[in-house]
Amino acid sequence: MKTHLETFVREHQRDIRNNPVFRVQVQRMCQLIGVDPLASRKGYMAELLGVGDFYCELGIQIIDICRATRSVNGGLMSIDELRERLIRRRLKGSEPVVNDDIKRAISQLAPLKGGYRIVDFGGRKMVQSVAREMNSDMSTVLGLAQQTSKFTADDVSMQLGWDSDRINACVDDMLRSGI
């Protein structure tokens, strides 16, 4: 089976690199049969698929974008906004990027311990680029802020029924965390 997969990948290497949907499908097929093309950057399948360098390059671009925008967004950006910024940044003719590519690249950043991960806020996928744990109050308030693009203490009180002490504690925690 592995031999047939290697032959398939070799024959379709150009399509795999240029078509993000096909790339994701081939990677999922590899995982289903127990071949992890990303296990080693120098691995044979990663080399055939051309994904080792692609995800390494994408990870570096993700780090650059997240660091450049951290003072504006507190280290929290929607995955869609990150994808749009990546597309604008990448050279014309580069491989297209989809959200699944971003997720894979971020998973490869884990050994760097920079806090890069995908988090879910109110059903919306966000990229967190700072090493911190968010408590449930912070997550709830951020989810509320996503609906209206802002929040006030009155909004939180009215929408969530929180008292002023809880609101102030949450806002203080968010400010200390840089959110």
Side-chain angles (χ1 to χ4, degrees), residues 24-71:
V24 169
Q25 291 171 338
V26 170
Q27 289 172 347
R28 287 191 179 138
M29 181 176 58
C30 288
Q31 288 175 340
L32 285 174
I33 62 170
V35 175
D36 183 2
L38 302 178
S40 168
R41 227 180 129 220
K42 294 180 181 176
Y44 181 68
M45 285 301 290
E47 188 177 313
L48 275 179
L49 286 168
V51 294
D53 291 339
F54 173 77
Y55 289 113
C56 182
E57 174 188 318
L58 192 61
I60 291 168
Q61 291 171 344
I62 288 169
I63 290 170
D64 287 345
I65 290 169
C66 289
R67 290 186 71 197
T69 60
R70 195 173 288 162
S71 64

Side-chain angles (χ1 to χ4, degrees), residues 101-147:
D101 293 327
I102 294 170
K103 291 174 185 175
R104 288 178 186 277
I106 288 174
S107 74
Q108 291 203 329
L109 295 175
L112 300 177
K113 300 195 186 296
Y116 293 89
R117 63 186 186 143
I118 305 289
V119 293
D120 190 14
F121 285 115
R124 190 169 172 206
K125 299 289 184 200
M126 304 290 285
V127 176
Q128 181 178 330
S129 62
V130 288
R132 69 169 165 257
E133 288 298 318
M134 290 194 190
N135 63 38
S136 62
D137 281 358
M138 293 165 71
S139 297
T140 301
V141 169
L142 285 172
L144 177 65
Q146 283 182 353
Q147 296 170 5

